[in-house]
Amino acid sequence: MNKTEVIARRILGWKLNRWDRWYDSEKEVFIYDFQPEKNLEQALLIVERLKSFGYSYSVSGKHEVCFNDVCTSGDTLAQAITNAAFSLADNSTIDEGWL
């Protein structure tokens, strides 16, 4: 899985509906063109979801963010959020019950 897939599946709990769209069963909506590295609004969805799971979010510097003790940077704020979320999701044991 690539970075976007890991975040969509493990953090946001979305299912791939077709090759070009995700499905959010909580909100019962389809999400097209999910690219959180390029879209700050989409990256902020990740922040809100992780906050709902009890993670703290902080910004330090222009493009560096932390979720608890997992900190990363990027060329943009959206990219930094995506990188940190991916590090958290890809390198941590994620309890499937939280999705």
Side-chain angles (χ1 to χ4, degrees):
M1 281 193 280
N2 67 30
K3 191 182 296 188
T4 301
E5 287 181 81
V6 167
I7 291 169
R9 291 177 193 274
R10 292 186 180 179
I11 294 176
L12 297 172
W14 296 348
K15 306 287 186 229
L16 190 61
N17 181 262
R18 279 191 345 203
W19 66 272
D20 65 339
R21 70 180 181 202
W22 292 91
Y23 183 68
D24 180 346
S25 59
E26 278 185 12
K27 296 178 183 171
E28 298 181 341
V29 296
F30 291 101
I31 297 87
Y32 294 88
D33 197 31
F34 182 60
Q35 296 181 17
E37 284 185 297
K38 298 177 182 177
N39 184 320
L40 184 57
E41 186 175 314
Q42 291 176 347
L44 291 175
L45 291 174
I46 299 165
V47 171
E48 292 308 312
R49 183 70 167 190
L50 287 172
K51 281 182 173 179
S52 76
F53 294 138
Y55 286 89
S56 63
Y57 167 73
S58 61
V59 178
S60 56
K62 191 172 181 180
H63 300 129
E64 183 177 4
V65 302
C66 299
F67 291 107
N68 292 354
D69 61 345
V70 176
C71 301
T72 62
S73 60
D75 294 334
T76 64
L77 182 58
Q79 188 179 57
I81 291 168
T82 304
N83 291 342
F86 177 72
S87 292
L88 183 68
D90 195 47
N91 295 321
S92 301
T93 302
I94 295 179
D95 178 11
E96 292 296 326
W98 69 305
L99 297 178

